[in-house]
């Protein structure tokens, strides 16, 4: 996610602008799954 933003800003390759939102969605989904897993572990203990 961040890597595509850095490359986009430094090089101006416009194709990376289409990839960046996908990376952002995956980044947010990762945090959601991490919170979900942590909540599940807390209930078991």
């Amino acid at each position: 996610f961040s890597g595509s933003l850095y490359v986009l800003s430094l090089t101006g390759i416009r194709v990376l602008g289409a990839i960046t939102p996908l990376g952002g969605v995956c980044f947010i989904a990762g945090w959601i799954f991490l919170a979900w897993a942590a909540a599940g572990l807390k209930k078991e203990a």
Side-chain angles (χ1 to χ4, degrees), residues 11-26:
T11 63
I13 300 173
R14 308 283 298 174
V15 175
L16 294 175
I19 298 171
T20 302
L22 179 61
V25 170
C26 290

Side-chain angles (χ1 to χ4, degrees), residues 4-5 7-8 11 13-14 17 21 23-24 26 30 35 43-44:
S4 64
L5 290 176
V7 174
L8 177 64
T11 63
I13 300 173
R14 308 283 298 174
C26 290
K43 289 180 183 178
E44 291 177 9

Side-chain angles (χ1 to χ4, degrees), residues 16-45:
L16 294 175
I19 298 171
T20 302
L22 179 61
V25 170
C26 290
F27 185 71
I28 293 169
W31 278 109
I32 291 170
F33 286 128
L34 180 66
W36 187 16
L41 289 175
K42 189 175 182 181
K43 289 180 183 178
E44 291 177 9

